[in-house]
Amino acid sequence: DQITLQCTNDQERAKLVQIFRYIQAFDHLQNPPQQEVEKQPWLLWFHDLPQHPCIHLNWQPLPPLEQPDAKQKLQASDDEAELDFILKVRRPQLTDPPSPPQDIAVCIQSGWQNVDGRVALDPKKVPQFNASPDLQRRFSIWKTQRDLWVQQERPQRQVMTIFEQLSTLRSQLARESERLELMVGDGLLSWYPSNSIGVHHPVVLLRLQLQFDPRIPEFTLAEAEQPPELYTALLQALPEINATDIGLSRQSFEENHWHPLEGNETSQFLKQLVNRLSSRGEFLAQAGTHKNRSTPLITRDPVFFVRNRSLGFSTAIESILTGLPSTPHLPQSLLRLAGIDVKSGATTYLSSSPPLSSNTVEEQILFSKPANSEQEEIAHQLARHGAVLVQGPPGTGKTHTIANLLGHLLAQGKSVLVTSHTPKALKVLREKVVLSLQPLCVCVLEDDNRKQMERAIDAITERLAFSHKDILEREARQLTEQRLDLLAQLRKTREELKEARGSEYRAIVSAGQQYTPIEAARSI
């Protein structure tokens, strides 16, 4: 059932490298890496955040690279005891502008109600306004009050704009969680070589999760559980880049997982990276405008943005290409993809409509939910070969099948790991699992995974406290006997059904003469 291929030459390996290079090039054509961060669906620069009590940013501008104390990753203010977030945005309290007296209101044009509006006199009312010193005096008093309101209200409105953007972003991520993801990035690479597409994008990225507390109300941008990422897809799209240098930078990054908001360590890595990209590369620890450069420049300028999730495909291909030269045994699946014929024995494909069997339910298959013969055949193939591929369009029961296999594998004393691109699919699967097994299911990607773990521990503790081994074994034997009796009845009923269906076309013998069912019906 398992094949190990010993490579006696490098022809197969070279062919694998070639085919994956083609796949990688095709992926870059279909899903080119984002060259400029400004073209992302949503972004928010750290340097654009207003100074306001409703904005809590666990980060401070980094000191120059030469200072040895620039080591902390996030710096919270003195009144912040927790460091588990990067940004918090609370909804500000907006106020209305002071209203002018009625006789002044009729003399000014509309638009003064807005923070960015302009106070202007109506041309038709100018003679009346100039003829009244008292009107001018009261107008001046009101305008001074409004200017003070504008000065105090403008930061409130800026924070409100960010709050509303996060609210819209939260709805968008909820709808398109399988396509979009929220990131924070730093190490802004600016490079516009001649006769090539320019680059203006951060290279050190970290995935975030957006949380909302309606009691305050407040949005929180916190780190997800995934490690930081080096944006290698962007580097591979650059001209005249040495692939070996990119590999060395990626290896260093994977060993240390430099955080995009860290201080001196991340700055040192970025400095090495830009020097590997070009002998004329430069690094600056402070943000600034450096577009339209013919030589690469990396600056520390953090930014929040949303990107498409399709970048993981290119990263997976790059990982395969990196490991091929040192892999002693080539996987059979990769060889088949490259067109290399490997004798692997018979391969079984399940028909979409397997034949009806009189004994399709096997005694060793313990499903916890209703099942059909296809699901039972999947469990049989899994036990026989150790792996099985199940594919089909949405709505054909794949999630139901996985939920059934969970119960079957747990009954064998096994632990099961289920992976998915997004937590949404795992949440749907957990709801499909029978209620008695749901406390044993813990999702490590969701925000409330700690609560799920606590519920699982409580359920297991409660079961152990009120159960006894001898009693459980006796109940198990009774249930096993009942199940075997039900299976025997099911087989008997199926035989009777088969006999009844067969009687519709089986010949009838009467007085030594055979009649077909239709002939007997006509005779009667």
Side-chain angles (χ1 to χ4, degrees), residues 5 13 57 68 209 214 237 239 275 357 400 411 478 490-491 501 507 520:
L5 177 66
R13 198 182 309 277
L57 180 64
Q209 54 185 0
N275 289 331
S357 171
H400 184 98
Q478 294 175 354
L490 182 59
R491 285 192 289 268
R501 293 183 60 179

Side-chain angles (χ1 to χ4, degrees), residues 116-131:
D116 298 325
R118 186 174 63 93
V119 177
L121 293 173
D122 188 346
K124 299 179 180 180
K125 303 293 183 178
V126 171
Q128 175 186 350
F129 181 82
N130 292 334

Side-chain angles (χ1 to χ4, degrees), residues 369-371 375 397-405 429 432:
K369 299 173 68 70
Q375 295 182 11
K398 296 185 296 297
T399 304
H400 184 98
T401 301
I402 297 175
N404 247 342
L405 289 173
L429 174 60
K432 289 281 188 179

